[in-house]
Amino acid sequence: MYRYDEFDAEFVRQRVAQFRDQVQRRLRGELTEDEFKPLRLKNGVYLQLHAYMLRIAIPYGTLSARQLRKLAHLARTYDRGFGHFTTRQNLQFNWPKLSDIPDILDELAEVEMHAIQTSGNNVRNVTADHFAGATAEEVVDPRPYAEIIRQWSSLHPEFSFLPRKFKIGITASEHDRAAIQTHDIGLQLRRLADGGLGFAVWVGGGQGRTPYLAKKIRDQLPEADILSYIEAILRVYNLHGRRDNIHKARIKILINSIGADVFAAEVEAEWARIKDGVLKLPPAEIERIAGYFAAPAFAARPPPAGLRPADRSFDRWVTRNSHAHKQPGYAIVTITLKPIGGIPGDASAAQMEAIAELAERFSFAEVRVSHEQNLVLPHVRLGDLWAVYQELKRIGLAEANAGLVTDIIACPGLDYCALANARSIPIAQRISARLAPRQEQVGELKIKISGCINACGHHHVGAIGILGVEKRGEEHYQLLLGGSGAEDAALASITGPGFSPDGIVDAVETVVDTYLKLRTGPQEAFLAAYTRLGAQPFKEALYGRA
Amino acid sequence: MDVLEADPDAPVTEAAAANLAACLPGGSGRPGLSGAADPNGPIWKEGAFRLDPFQVAPASGELGPGPVLVAKARWLSDRAQLLARGGPLGLFLEAGTGLDDVADDVGRFVLIALDFPKFSDGRAFSTARLLREKFGYRGELRAVGNVLSDQILFMRRVGFDAFEVSHAPTRRALGAGELAEVRLYYQPVGAAAEPGTRSWLRTGAG
Amino acid sequence: MSKTSGHVQVLTANRLGDGTVVFLNFDGDWVASLTGVVIARSPDEALGLEARGRFDAGRNLVVDPYLVDMREVKGALLPLRQRERVRLAGPSVLGDVPGYLAPAAPFAQADVEPGGQGIEPDRRGEPRQASGPARKEAA
């Protein structure tokens, strides 16, 4: 993974010193809240329902064991003993004191971490396939490009006051685990027609109040041109994105309003002017960064998995939670942070430390964070799976439910978030407990829950999506079906009238029951069945015949 | 590039030429007009607060003598008279204003002022770069409106060299030379390539 | 401004330094409890409270002050909106967080109706301790 050199380390140090100064000026009253708010947002500091919240960047979801240990330490020392992994591969602490945050940032800098641009109207964390560098499916590891884009976009003088936040996602596989079509810019790394490496470029995806899937505006962009092309996109957006209405300020609105073709033409015109300038990537630079992401020293022939007692729950866990690795003898292991009835995405300090230890012993000290609020040990020898499983059982994170109906994605919701209209966590907990006994029978089914229209739970691309709203001061929930964030991207459709907190749990079970009754067999997953059947049978089951 | 050479075909009166020549400073090589240093002056430029030599032109009607800052609408409607009048010209552009209809004339201005109507409105950062890098503008590029200390380094890097500052703590910080900044940059801005293998990335403060 | 009769308002904000949810009390202090809180029972009183909020925000004691609509129930105050109930009582799920470390000071004490509206009839405004079913326990 990327290691800071002197420049990177000094950059973060100066940034922390700058923010420390800004915090002190705020506490002294030399900055009003109006003046301070955009500055603190640029350092990932929110004011939430109960307290400040600090969002720490985990670039493209890659963490070292050492970094994970530091996060555990920070959780214990400055917060309340736990952290929350988010749908953008970041980590949130819910209770930091503003006066402590400069110290927290100093400690993060010690392990090459920061909270720069995890909020604010700038380029946010560049997210990537959480199996990058381990899966056989990818053309090459996309993370070097994510790192290059991350550096280039850090404190960019032209693009630090965009109309709105800007999210870039990148994948290098046909099967899109990074949900690039839901991003402002989605990048697919691929082999070009001339044999070189390059990108297909999508723009204008985004969820929130008005969701859109991204449109492809370029099919063959050579890798050397990626920064200049992104700069052209951002410049057109910065100049023409709406500034009058916060709900219409994302690039998706601009593209939908002028059309993707017109937008692409503007981008191409600007790009033509700058493409051969300072932003052209020298191959040596790409190689230099890629060198940080070289594969670890895999054992050419790891010892075979030894004898162990037959254990059906272990077998279920291996079947469900491990994924084929590009290196024979190895597997990619998903640790779902979704214990049955638990809080999606939360991990205690002790759990983080245990996972760090597992990574050190069994995964070349590397961990990943997925946008589905799970963790990944990317390089585990098959012979070590048993030991990993035993330890995960000890810390309560061995549920064999990756991708199943209990692997629920939920934003923090009204329990934490000042923007929320309804709680999402208790809904997730109750659905999980209700459906756990049948989760294997139900199979692959992604439930995504958002506590408000900002859609941080990504409910628009859930096979079952739930949106919490406020109705006459009380919590109320809309149900959506048929969404997907993968390469078969689709926006979920609302079923009809909403439900009470009790009602929505029943409604989800009704949907599941209907699916089980009407599917052609266990081999027909929920999304396929929904595509075949359409919404009608589900609506009838939910609301009765019209 | 000398202002007078911007459009050799344009009619230039003798008086206008004399006025412009008198405005060109000595050694900076860049056409411009700096007011006298004054701690209460509104403009931070070249290391000091200064008086503003420009008068803001009304939307229409008589113009006083001396350097005048006109809005784009007035420039477009009164271009011939303004040029004939002679005297240093400044152009005021609102945030998000297109440049295509003034592109050919940027060389005639010794001042272009770009507005930041709100702290969060960052359109002028792009406009500044286009003026400098696409249209080759070399006069004073002034940030006006909501200018706070935490933006000034960004503004400099995209090509601003003057700042109209009313926010008191920002003025104090500027005066004391105490802007807390991150002086390492991850991205080049500007049209010129920098030497070294890492030309697309990473420079220290120049 | 409360629009419905029978409703009163209190002034809330977050403390600048640590973000704690606080309410304005009769001594003019910002405290993490509804005990002794100033209650506005008329539009004029509400305006006065709002002005006090702006003033104290300007003095950098608190951020983001606003009025909360409350019902008075047997001498206790119950927020009208679910959002404000959660804000008052703290997250409803802390009992389920693995390894949760309770802070030294309790959450805002509130006479939130037990068994009242909401998903789980379990919020009584008491500070949560690290607890929860064994399956979630961190070693």
Side-chain angles (χ1 to χ4, degrees):
Chain A
M1 56 182 283
Y2 187 70
R3 299 307 311 270
Y4 280 14
D5 60 18
E6 263 310 303
F7 186 100
D8 303 307
E10 182 59 21
F11 179 89
V12 174
R13 266 199 296 275
Q14 289 190 10
R15 176 60 164 201
V16 176
Q18 182 191 45
F19 187 61
R20 189 182 285 280
D21 174 73
Q22 290 164 347
V23 170
Q24 282 163 357
R25 284 156 58 205
R26 176 71 189 101
L27 293 174
R28 282 200 298 263
E30 287 172 29
L31 283 176
T32 66
E33 188 61 19
D34 279 344
E35 290 160 355
F36 181 64
K37 184 169 172 184
L39 302 175
R40 67 165 162 78
L41 288 177
K42 286 182 184 307
N43 287 278
V45 180
Y46 282 89
L47 182 64
Q48 289 290 60
L49 203 58
H50 311 287
Y52 290 101
M53 182 268 279
L54 178 64
R55 183 182 295 152
I56 295 169
I58 300 177
Y60 35 86
T62 295
L63 264 181
S64 69
R66 179 169 170 253
Q67 291 171 329
L68 186 52
R69 284 184 190 286
K70 175 63 80 173
L71 294 176
H73 162 77
L74 293 172
R76 221 181 251 117
T77 311
Y78 295 99
D79 207 89
R80 299 203 182 161
F82 69 101
H84 174 74
F85 290 96
T86 77
T87 55
R88 297 221 74 241
Q89 301 180 307
N90 292 318
L91 180 92
Q92 292 179 178
F93 287 130
N94 297 307
W95 314 98
K97 298 184 186 150
L98 180 62
S99 43
D100 281 342
I101 288 176
D103 289 341
I104 296 173
L105 296 178
D106 269 335
E107 291 216 40
L108 285 170
E110 286 169 23
V111 293
E112 304 179 12
M113 295 184 82
H114 61 74
I116 296 170
Q117 292 177 206
T118 54
S119 182
N121 294 336
N122 39 231
V123 177
R124 302 284 187 93
N125 189 23
V126 178
T127 51
D129 178 358
H130 41 280
F131 288 173
T135 173
E137 299 164 52
E138 65 190 12
V139 142
V140 289
D141 190 337
R143 293 175 300 160
Y145 303 91
E147 175 61 26
I148 288 169
I149 296 168
R150 180 191 79 83
Q151 293 189 16
W152 167 83
S153 65
S154 296
L155 300 195
H156 196 299
E158 186 181 354
F159 302 128
S160 289
F161 296 91
L162 296 171
R164 200 73 177 91
K165 61 180 108 173
F166 203 90
K167 301 181 180 179
I168 300 178
I170 182 169
T171 183
S173 304
E174 282 300 323
H175 175 44
D176 178 11
R177 277 174 293 269
I180 66 171
Q181 293 183 60
T182 64
H183 283 73
D184 298 282
I185 291 180
L187 298 172
Q188 188 195 34
L189 184 61
R190 49 165 53 173
R191 203 49 82 178
L192 301 184
D194 64 5
L197 279 172
F199 297 91
V201 182
W202 278 264
V203 290
Q207 302 196 51
R209 178 178 292 205
T210 36
Y212 286 100
L213 295 177
K215 310 271 195 314
K216 180 154 52 156
I217 62 169
R218 185 103 183 169
D219 190 65
Q220 307 268 309
L221 181 71
E223 59 176 346
D225 295 324
I226 188 62
L227 285 183
S228 58
Y229 202 78
I230 292 176
E231 177 152 302
I233 293 172
L234 280 172
R235 184 164 296 141
V236 173
Y237 172 55
N238 191 44
L239 285 170
H240 300 297
R242 285 178 69 167
R243 303 253 176 194
D244 60 314
N245 182 342
I246 193 179
H247 302 299
K248 303 213 183 240
R250 296 285 290 277
I251 196 174
K252 63 187 180 184
I253 305 292
L254 174 64
I255 287 168
N256 200 58
S257 126
I258 67 178
D261 291 340
V262 171
F263 180 81
E266 295 266 344
V267 170
E268 295 282 336
E270 178 61 13
W271 181 62
R273 183 178 73 81
I274 63 175
K275 64 193 272 290
D276 294 316
V278 288
L279 291 179
K280 202 155 188 94
L281 285 182
E285 272 308 286
I286 302 176
E287 274 174 44
R288 185 180 70 84
I289 300 289
Y292 288 101
F293 297 91
F298 296 126
R301 272 210 308 265
L307 289 176
R308 46 152 184 84
D311 185 324
R312 283 181 51 203
S313 66
F314 172 68
D315 290 338
R316 272 202 302 276
W317 176 82
V318 171
T319 305
R320 206 58 238 169
N321 285 23
S322 69
H323 188 93
H325 197 287
K326 64 184 178 186
Q327 179 77 10
Y330 283 80
I332 306 172
V333 168
T334 295
I335 305 172
T336 62
L337 298 180
K338 318 284 176 64
I340 303 304
I343 299 178
D346 278 11
S348 68
Q351 287 172 329
M352 291 186 210
E353 277 158 353
I355 293 169
E357 171 121 9
L358 280 174
E360 279 158 357
R361 290 172 63 196
F362 299 118
S363 182
F364 298 93
E366 192 167 316
V367 180
R368 308 291 177 76
V369 183
S370 83
H371 69 93
E372 295 181 325
Q373 303 172 311
N374 292 325
L375 299 180
V376 173
L377 295 173
H379 315 295
V380 179
R381 296 198 317 198
L382 296 179
D384 292 330
L385 287 176
W386 175 249
V388 170
Y389 175 69
Q390 295 303 309
E391 175 64 2
L392 289 175
K393 272 208 313 199
R394 188 184 70 80
I395 64 174
L397 291 176
E399 189 64 39
N401 63 351
L404 296 183
V405 75
T406 55
D407 183 9
I408 299 172
I409 291 90
C411 72
L414 185 56
D415 281 303
Y416 289 100
C417 182
L419 301 172
N421 295 121
R423 284 174 291 168
S424 46
I425 296 173
I427 302 290
Q429 290 177 292
R430 288 172 64 191
I431 293 174
S432 170
R434 180 83 69 90
L435 295 177
R438 299 194 280 165
Q439 63 181 2
E440 280 176 48
Q441 183 196 12
V442 173
E444 180 100 7
L445 204 178
K446 292 189 198 260
I447 298 181
K448 304 197 184 214
I449 307 176
S450 303
C452 79
I453 50 150
N454 288 300
C456 301
H458 294 176
H459 66 278
H460 291 294
V461 293
I464 295 177
I466 297 172
L467 170 63
V469 300
E470 183 176 2
K471 195 165 151 178
R472 292 189 278 272
E474 300 300 329
E475 293 160 307
H476 199 68
Y477 296 91
Q478 293 177 355
L479 181 65
L480 302 87
L481 298 178
S484 170
E487 66 281 2
D488 58 350
L491 296 176
S493 310
I494 192 168
T495 54
F499 301 89
S500 69
D502 287 334
I504 189 65
V505 180
D506 292 336
V508 169
E509 188 168 33
T510 299
V511 168
V512 168
D513 288 340
T514 307
Y515 156 66
L516 290 174
K517 199 170 73 165
L518 296 177
R519 67 182 180 182
T520 56
Q523 74 288 347
E524 189 183 42
F526 176 84
L527 267 184
Y530 181 82
T531 306
R532 175 175 62 84
L533 295 162
Q536 198 53 31
F538 297 94
K539 288 182 182 179
E540 283 173 10
L542 288 166
Y543 304 110
R545 289 180 189 277
Chain B
M1 181 182 69
D2 193 303
V3 171
L4 291 173
E5 291 165 16
D7 185 354
D9 294 325
V12 177
T13 64
E14 269 189 35
N19 270 336
L20 277 170
C23 291
L24 296 180
S28 74
R30 178 183 272 201
L33 199 60
S34 292
D38 181 317
N40 296 316
I43 310 294
W44 176 263
K45 183 179 175 187
E46 289 162 357
F49 283 109
R50 298 175 183 280
L51 301 174
D52 186 359
F54 283 81
Q55 296 284 325
V56 176
S60 61
E62 280 297 305
L63 292 173
V68 68
L69 180 66
V70 295
K72 182 163 101 154
R74 179 141 196 197
W75 167 255
L76 292 175
S77 66
D78 296 352
R79 182 178 177 280
Q81 297 96 292
L82 289 165
L83 285 172
R85 168 187 175 269
L89 283 171
L91 179 68
F92 173 80
L93 294 175
E94 288 177 0
T97 309
L99 295 176
D100 289 342
D101 46 5
V102 295
D104 292 337
D105 284 332
V106 293
R108 298 184 182 278
F109 299 103
V110 294
L111 164 67
I112 297 182
L114 301 183
D115 189 34
F116 288 84
K118 283 197 300 207
F119 179 96
S120 55
D121 188 328
R123 286 177 283 185
F125 291 101
S126 287
T127 308
R129 287 195 69 187
L130 290 172
L131 282 168
R132 290 291 195 210
E133 296 169 35
K134 182 174 179 183
F135 299 114
Y137 173 68
R138 296 193 63 229
E140 175 181 326
L141 191 57
R142 183 190 292 181
V144 306
N146 273 273
V147 175
L148 296 185
S149 60
D150 307 281
Q151 299 167 296
I152 287 182
L153 180 58
F154 286 162
M155 289 172 173
R156 264 197 224 290
R157 291 185 60 215
V158 298
F160 288 99
D161 55 358
F163 310 88
E164 185 182 84
V165 186
S166 52
H167 183 248
T170 301
R171 290 183 64 95
R172 273 198 302 276
L174 278 169
E178 277 166 10
L179 290 185
E181 295 170 338
V182 179
R183 303 194 68 78
L184 299 178
Y185 320 137
Y186 269 117
Q187 62 288 107
V189 287
E194 282 149 332
T197 58
R198 309 207 293 196
S199 61
W200 56 276
L201 161 81
R202 291 147 161 261
T203 56
Chain C
M1 242 315 290
S2 68
K3 298 182 174 67
T4 323
S5 65
H7 296 157
V8 299
Q9 291 172 307
V10 302
L11 186 67
T12 189
N14 294 77
R15 254 207 298 260
L16 172 63
D18 63 10
T20 307
V21 170
V22 289
F23 301 88
L24 185 71
N25 74 4
F26 266 105
D27 295 329
D29 298 323
W30 291 93
V31 293
S33 158
L34 284 179
T35 311
V37 71
V38 178
I39 298 174
R41 299 178 188 282
S42 73
D44 280 344
E45 288 175 23
L47 285 175
L49 266 190
E50 273 183 322
R52 176 55 187 266
R54 281 193 297 274
F55 180 70
D56 280 354
R59 289 198 298 153
N60 302 301
L61 296 175
V62 293
V63 293
D64 196 23
Y66 64 96
L67 293 172
V68 181
D69 292 330
M70 297 276 198
R71 251 188 321 135
E72 280 186 294
V73 179
K74 301 190 196 77
L77 289 169
L78 178 66
L80 290 187
R81 284 176 75 196
Q82 177 67 4
R83 178 192 198 272
E84 300 306 330
R85 278 176 239 142
V86 175
R87 186 162 176 280
L88 183 58
S92 64
V93 293
L94 285 178
D96 304 320
V97 175
Y100 173 66
L101 302 173
F107 286 120
Q109 294 301 311
D111 293 320
V112 179
E113 257 178 21
Q117 304 92 327
I119 295 167
E120 307 286 1
D122 57 349
R123 289 303 304 154
R124 294 184 194 85
E126 287 159 5
R128 286 285 180 175
Q129 302 304 315
S131 65
R135 64 173 182 271
K136 298 184 204 64
E137 207 161 69

